[in-house]
């Protein structure tokens, strides 16, 4: 027990140290979002959001006061008419919320092996990359999405956005000038969730499914998909969002971590992980990437 305590203490100390050295000038601001629109399905409620992201406002988290239930609900309501959380029966709808939030939790977690409450309780701990090693400006896209001098396109958001062209495309879709103001994503939780849900709802290429379509079963795989072992389900959503960063490499940690968050949320939402399906549906361990050799928004 003493040993465990020492490990936890050490862990806390490392985090505090990291905080001191990497604190940026941008403070996470609470957006204090009010419910603008009621989420059509009142069965995803405040207490469930709190259960899923129970550690996000502890003092050692990195976006204290930033993320809240209403920012998610307000963002989700924009995409409800397109089917987000509203496709199929209640189970399917809850599963889509668990799946989407599973990506979010995994990508914004600061929970590691010894974190209190377990590593899966730490989703929404971050709202931006802490120590970006570069500005993520790709000149190849300078005609459509030129980098704004001084702007930095490091990872920000609920399913983090990287690179000028991804900020540009999200901004165009949401009608917000993210190319000039990528920082909006780490200042406004509603916008951060909107960008993430937009990503979930939008195919990388027109001929391909969105993560939403792949998850809810709107997508019919082609022959080529079948050859690449791509089947509808949670695994395919990882393939679409991250591609070869996590897929087609067996049960690697980068993939298992996302899956673990999804299963944990299925349990917390009362659906139960046994609904998640077989390994080939749940994971993308054996799938060929939809888009080999491309940098995707969220990788
Ligand atoms: C909900 O829909 C899914 C997919 O169509 C189906 O497999 C499942 O049996 C349905 N569940 C209930 C409770 O109707
Ligand atoms: C945050 O973003 C949402 C969605 O784009 C917008 O409606 C809202 O006005 C923004 N809030 C602030 C404080 O800028
Ligand atoms: C078939 O899949 C492979 C690998 O996933 C890909 O490189 C190729 O472009 C695909 N072909 C078509 C016609 O989509």
């Amino acid at each position: 027990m003493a040993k465990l305590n020492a490990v936890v203490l050490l862990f806390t100390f490392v985090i505090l140290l990291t905080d001191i050295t990497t604190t940026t000038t941008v403070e996470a601001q609470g957006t204090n979002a009010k419910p603008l629109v009621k989420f059509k399905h009142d069965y995803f409620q405040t207490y469930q959001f709190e259960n899923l992201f129970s550690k996000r406002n502890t003092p050692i988290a990195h976006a204290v006061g930033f993320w809240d239930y209403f920012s998610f609900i307000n963002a989700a309501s924009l995409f409800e008419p397109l089917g987000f959380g509203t496709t199929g029966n209640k189970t399917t709808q809850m599963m889509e919320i668990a799946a989407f939030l599973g990506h979010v939790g995994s990508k914004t977690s600061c929970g590691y092996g010894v974190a209190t409450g377990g590593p899966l309780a730490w989703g929404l701990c971050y709202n931006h990359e802490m120590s970006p090693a570069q500005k993520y400006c790709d000149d190849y896209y300078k005609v459509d999405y030129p980098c704004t001098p001084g702007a930095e396109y490091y990872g920000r958001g609920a399913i983090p956005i990287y690179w000028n062209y991804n900020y540009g495309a999200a901004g165009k879709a949401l009608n917000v000038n993210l190319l000039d103001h990528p920082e909006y994503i780490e200042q406004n939780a509603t916008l951060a969730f909107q960008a993430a849900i937009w990503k979930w709802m939008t195919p990388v290429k027109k001929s391909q499914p969105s993560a939403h379509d792949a998850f809810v079963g709107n997508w019919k795989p082609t022959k080529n998909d079948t050859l690449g072992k791509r089947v509808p389900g949670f695994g395919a959503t990882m393939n679409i969002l991250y591609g070869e960063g996590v897929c087609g490499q067996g049960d690697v940690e980068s993939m298992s971590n996302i899956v673990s968050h999804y299963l944990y949320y299925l349990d917390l939402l009362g659906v139960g992980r046994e609904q998640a399906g077989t390994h080939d549906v749940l994971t993308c361990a054996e799938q060929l990437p939809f888009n080999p050799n491309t940098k995707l928004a969220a990788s």
Side-chain angles (χ1 to χ4, degrees):
M1 197 62 204
K3 217 178 208 170
L4 184 66
N5 280 338
V7 172
V8 172
L9 240 172
L10 186 67
F11 172 74
T12 312
F13 184 65
V14 169
I15 287 200
L16 288 176
L17 252 182
T18 319
D19 260 347
I20 293 163
T21 49
T22 59
T23 298
T24 60
T25 48
V26 183
E27 293 282 332
Q29 301 173 321
T31 44
N32 293 323
K34 296 268 177 343
L36 302 174
V37 196
K38 196 167 154 53
F39 195 46
K40 200 170 143 202
H41 297 287
D42 52 5
Y43 48 76
F44 182 68
Q45 295 184 356
T46 312
Y47 79 91
Q48 291 170 311
F49 184 91
E50 297 301 326
N51 280 347
L52 265 49
F53 304 110
S54 59
K55 295 290 187 181
R56 75 190 191 287
N57 288 330
T58 57
I60 58 167
H62 296 270
V64 172
F66 181 74
W67 302 106
D68 71 356
Y69 172 74
F70 289 118
S71 53
F72 173 69
I73 291 301
N74 287 336
S77 65
L78 190 64
F79 294 91
E80 281 190 337
L82 301 176
F84 179 71
T86 58
T87 305
N89 60 30
K90 178 179 166 177
T91 307
T92 306
Q93 295 175 10
M94 286 303 265
M95 286 179 77
E96 184 180 12
I97 292 174
F100 169 77
L101 291 177
H103 284 280
V104 170
S106 166
K107 292 293 158 183
T108 57
S109 173
C110 58
Y112 312 105
V114 293
T116 56
L120 301 175
W122 290 83
L124 292 181
C125 177
Y126 293 105
N127 64 358
H128 66 90
E129 189 180 359
M130 295 309 280
S131 311
Q134 55 160 313
K135 292 185 174 179
Y136 298 97
C137 173
D138 188 340
D139 264 344
Y140 181 81
Y141 297 90
K142 66 185 170 203
V143 176
D144 286 338
Y145 301 125
C147 300
T148 300
E152 295 187 27
Y153 303 101
Y154 58 77
R156 296 182 183 85
I159 293 177
I161 311 172
Y162 297 80
W163 297 103
N164 53 314
Y165 50 91
N166 288 316
Y167 277 94
K172 203 166 149 190
L174 298 172
N175 201 18
V176 178
N177 186 356
L178 294 180
L179 212 47
D180 285 345
H181 296 287
E183 74 280 4
Y184 285 172
I185 296 288
E186 66 183 78
Q187 294 170 350
N188 182 331
T190 300
L191 190 58
F193 274 126
Q194 278 181 357
I197 301 173
W198 171 75
K199 190 81 211 154
W200 177 259
M201 300 299 294
T202 309
V204 175
K205 293 181 182 157
K206 283 213 168 75
S207 59
Q208 295 175 357
S210 65
H212 164 77
D213 286 333
F215 188 78
V216 301
N218 288 344
W219 165 58
K220 298 280 169 282
T222 64
K223 211 175 224 177
N224 203 22
D225 289 322
T226 305
L227 285 173
K229 301 196 172 167
R230 295 186 291 261
V231 294
F234 188 74
T237 70
M238 294 188 285
N239 195 330
I240 292 158
L241 296 173
Y242 319 114
E244 60 198 354
V246 307
C247 297
Q249 308 173 55
D251 291 304
V252 291
E253 165 61 22
S254 58
M255 183 195 78
S256 310
N257 188 271
I258 307 167
V259 171
S260 299
H261 280 83
Y262 170 50
L263 296 177
Y264 177 68
Y265 294 168
L266 282 178
D267 285 344
L268 287 182
L269 292 177
V271 175
R273 63 181 59 212
E274 63 280 2
Q275 300 291 326
T278 50
H279 186 264
D280 59 325
V281 169
L282 174 60
T283 81
C284 57
E286 314 297 331
Q287 297 184 12
L288 292 182
F290 280 100
N291 297 299
N293 307 315
T294 37
K295 285 181 287 189
L296 297 176
S299 46

